[in-house]
Each structure stands twice: as structure tokens, then as C-alpha cells.
Amino acid sequence: GAYNFAAGYYSMQGGAGILAGTDNVAIGRLAMREITSGVNNIALGQLALSKISTGFNNVALGHNALGNGVVTGSHNSAIGNEALYALTT
């Protein structure tokens, strides 16, 4: 991957340790932890966008925002504790 920024325990760890995504920002414990090739995503908060793998142009602000459902979804915005927690696409 290129042009990514991660701060926090296991943030942007990448599924199976692989990260090919670009222009992503993850701040918070386990934020965006399973991303593999997503592009232009922002996650701020513990577990925010934690299950995303290949989605793009998503914004998650808050604890567990877009945290459990979005894996490949794109163009989603969630603000607040567990906002859009189980959204799938």
C-alpha cells in the first residue's frame, strides 16, 4: 500500500497481514484492522471500520462506527457510537 496512515494498537493491520490499499487513515485501537486493498477510507475511533477489506470512500467517526458490517461497501459515512454498525454494502 501507499500513502496510508495508521495510529493505534493493530490499526490498519491488514487481512492476513497484507495491505495493498492506498490513501487510507486509521486512528484508534483496531481501526480499519482488516483492510487489504481499500482506497480513500477514514476511520477515527476504536474498532471504526474494523471489518472493511476492499471498500472505498468510506468515513467512520466514533467507537465501532461502520465497525462490523461494511466489508466491500463504498461511499458510506457514519458518525457516532456504533453508527451503521451492521451495514453490509
Side-chain angles (χ1 to χ4, degrees):
Y3 308 109
N4 295 302
F5 176 82
Y9 178 78
Y10 279 111
S11 65
M12 211 181 290
Q13 176 185 5
I18 299 168
L19 176 58
T22 59
D23 299 313
N24 296 294
V25 175
I27 300 172
R29 182 179 169 268
L30 301 170
M32 221 182 292
R33 69 178 168 159
E34 294 187 18
I35 191 164
T36 55
S37 61
V39 177
N40 295 329
N41 296 294
I42 299 171
L44 177 58
Q46 180 178 325
L47 293 165
L49 269 175
S50 63
K51 296 288 185 179
I52 191 169
S53 62
T54 60
F56 59 94
N57 296 328
N58 293 294
V59 177
L61 306 175
H63 175 264
N64 237 341
L66 284 169
N68 198 46
V70 170
V71 175
T72 60
S74 299
H75 305 288
N76 297 297
S77 298
I79 300 173
N81 184 53
E82 294 190 356
L84 297 175
Y85 172 76
L87 183 71
T88 57
T89 57

